[in-house]
Amino acid sequence: MLFSDADITAIWLTTKLAFVVTLLLLVIGTPIAWWLANSNSRWKSPVNALVALPIVLPPSVLGFYLLIFMGPKGPLGELISTLGLGTLPFTFSGLVVASVIYSLPFVVQPIQNAIEALGKRPFEVAATLRAGPWDRFWTVLLPQARPGFLTAAVLGFAHTVGEFGVVLMIGGNIPGETQVVSVRIYDHVEALDYGSAHALAFTMVAFSFVVLLALYTLNPRAGFTTAIK
Amino acid sequence: MMYRQLSIMLLCLGASTCSLAGSTRIAVAANFTAPMEAITHAFEEQTGHTVSVSFGSSGKLFAQVQNGAPFDAFLSADTAKPEALVNAGLAIKESRFTYAVGTLALYGGDSTDAKRLLESGDYNKLAIANPRLAPYGAAAMETLQALGVADSAASKLVTGENISQTWQFVFTGNADIGFIALSQIIKGGTPPTGAWVVPGQLHSPIHQDAVLLERGKDNPASQSLLDFLKGDTAREIIQRYGYATVQP
């Protein structure tokens, strides 16, 4: 057998995490991208910088602060405990929250760029044709900015699958709950079980290549030059 | 420190005796960071050799040595990895010895009676090092078995990749208690209040072995450092940091 049961559990968990995070990111990222693309507010630059932070911060910094903020003594941890929801570290929900923060720029920026490239004109024309805001969103923005949304979804998904440092810091390595593929590979390497490490690591390389190949085939102009400004 | 290195360099420029002051590069398991810094300092003072130390998890250092990392000696957190390097022909068999024996401690802050909390089961999470990777983790599992609380603890276990991360989980309050290395919490030779120093008979001994690597076998500074580790000065430092030592 190529994979042990625990390996398969990790693969399944990673896939589930990536799907949940990508969906949430599209829902959260779209309004942020819309606002950033259209706003002239003086808050635009600070928000842009804040969204882009995870690109430059090492995962150890992000993981360390998340561990403190989400922990029982941290502000977010205290808030969530007061709501009776327990604390986030060592849980699947905790990984979702961390991954949403960590992958946010990879989703916001392609959408933001696509909206900026469209300009205001298609929306003004649609408005003169009496299209309401929702109508404009569904019939103008989504179809016109489709490549941007596609790039955003693929990058958000792939970046979450490839996440390691943050999960390592706040996950606690619990099988079926927080033990994702990248952490599992690390364990195999540390335990000198290089055979199992190879099986998972090679799968990861192949998967990432196929995802990016699909992205560039569907959307030849996508890439980090357009995804990340 | 800078001045001393500089003066050694100047000395070497003018004298032919500079072979006396050599340098060595060693790889050391992360849990031994604090005592190793003190030992290195004492060693450099006494011999004039300079030591460059790379700290990391034993597994990673092992993989690096296997792939040609420029280390002269390896201080592992276990016995298996030095042995594997000997078997792979990358380390000198006769040089292998136990430089420290780790002490396991259960801790959850100064105001928590850690052992009572563990036995009552009234805690959110119990942090241990990954038993598959870290000898401290394996020892923690054996201790839970010996206390008869392994079943009640099973659903509350969170594992750190190494003993440093396990301590981080406890320190940030994310886990109420955790099995960590006594060396991480000991101050001036005394454990903090509330900590339970696990008696050695509850688990297999945590032997940490050192070995001279093939690359360092002709370097007098490397051999001299390993000899220094066996001596009284180093042993006294090692014990002060919460480890036991064995007679070589």
Side-chain angles (χ1 to χ4, degrees), chain A residues 64 67-68 70-73 87 89-90 167-174 179 183-184 186-194 196, chain B residues 57-63 66-67 81 84 124-125 130 132-133 157-162 165 168-175:
Chain A
F64 177 60
L67 189 65
I68 291 174
M70 304 199 314
K73 299 171 200 161
T87 51
F90 320 129
V167 177
L168 190 77
M169 299 278 285
I170 65 159
N173 205 354
I174 302 167
Q179 190 184 66
V183 172
R184 183 103 189 124
Y186 181 84
D187 278 2
H188 284 319
V189 173
E190 287 284 301
L192 314 187
D193 183 359
Y194 292 173
S196 306
Chain B
S57 77
S58 300
K60 225 175 292 133
L61 295 172
F62 174 88
Q66 259 191 333
N67 289 288
K81 291 179 187 84
N124 65 351
K125 298 283 181 199
N130 191 331
R132 186 176 163 220
L133 310 179
L157 283 184
V158 291
T159 55
E161 291 312 301
N162 50 49
Q165 206 197 358
Q168 198 180 87
F169 288 159
V170 177
F171 181 79
T172 56
N174 281 297

Side-chain angles (χ1 to χ4, degrees), chain A residues 75-151:
Chain A
L76 186 61
E78 277 183 356
L79 179 75
I80 291 174
S81 304
T82 326
L83 299 174
L85 298 172
T87 51
L88 285 171
F90 320 129
T91 63
F92 181 75
S93 318
L95 289 201
V96 171
V97 172
S99 308
V100 163
I101 295 170
Y102 188 51
S103 295
L104 188 65
F106 292 85
V107 171
V108 168
Q109 296 195 346
I111 301 177
Q112 182 185 345
N113 292 343
I115 296 174
E116 279 170 354
L118 275 182
K120 290 202 161 68
R121 185 142 176 81
F123 301 99
E124 289 164 2
V125 172
T128 60
L129 297 172
R130 290 194 201 149
W134 274 113
D135 199 7
R136 275 177 275 162
F137 177 78
W138 290 107
T139 58
V140 181
L141 178 64
L142 273 190
Q144 294 286 324
R146 211 185 60 125
F149 280 97
L150 191 70
T151 306

Side-chain angles (χ1 to χ4, degrees), chain A residues 4-224:
Chain A
S4 67
D5 286 349
D7 288 343
I8 291 168
T9 306
I11 292 173
W12 164 236
L13 180 78
T14 309
T15 316
K16 188 171 90 171
L17 178 70
F19 269 112
V20 172
V21 168
T22 307
L23 262 179
L24 277 174
L25 276 174
L26 287 173
V27 172
I28 298 166
T30 305
I32 297 177
W34 172 260
W35 183 81
L36 285 172
N38 290 301
S39 169
N40 292 316
S41 159
R42 64 196 170 96
W43 293 102
K44 182 176 170 169
S45 293
V47 173
N48 249 331
L50 205 61
V51 168
L53 262 187
I55 297 174
V56 295
L57 282 182
S60 50
V61 170
L62 217 54
F64 177 60
Y65 279 134
L66 283 171
L67 189 65
I68 291 174
F69 281 126
M70 304 199 314
K73 299 171 200 161
L76 186 61
E78 277 183 356
L79 179 75
I80 291 174
S81 304
T82 326
L83 299 174
L85 298 172
T87 51
L88 285 171
F90 320 129
T91 63
F92 181 75
S93 318
L95 289 201
V96 171
V97 172
S99 308
V100 163
I101 295 170
Y102 188 51
S103 295
L104 188 65
F106 292 85
V107 171
V108 168
Q109 296 195 346
I111 301 177
Q112 182 185 345
N113 292 343
I115 296 174
E116 279 170 354
L118 275 182
K120 290 202 161 68
R121 185 142 176 81
F123 301 99
E124 289 164 2
V125 172
T128 60
L129 297 172
R130 290 194 201 149
W134 274 113
D135 199 7
R136 275 177 275 162
F137 177 78
W138 290 107
T139 58
V140 181
L141 178 64
L142 273 190
Q144 294 286 324
R146 211 185 60 125
F149 280 97
L150 191 70
T151 306
V154 171
L155 283 180
F157 190 89
H159 196 242
T160 306
V161 169
E163 191 181 355
F164 171 67
V166 174
V167 177
L168 190 77
M169 299 278 285
I170 65 159
N173 205 354
I174 302 167
E177 180 83 22
T178 61
Q179 190 184 66
V180 298
V181 173
S182 57
V183 172
R184 183 103 189 124
I185 293 173
Y186 181 84
D187 278 2
H188 284 319
V189 173
E190 287 284 301
L192 314 187
D193 183 359
Y194 292 173
S196 306
H198 272 309
L200 274 180
F202 181 75
T203 309
M204 197 85 143
V205 173
F207 165 81
S208 305
F209 178 75
V210 168
V211 166
L212 291 176
L213 181 68
L215 174 67
Y216 287 117
T217 310
L218 290 168
N219 188 9
R221 293 206 334 254
F224 288 93

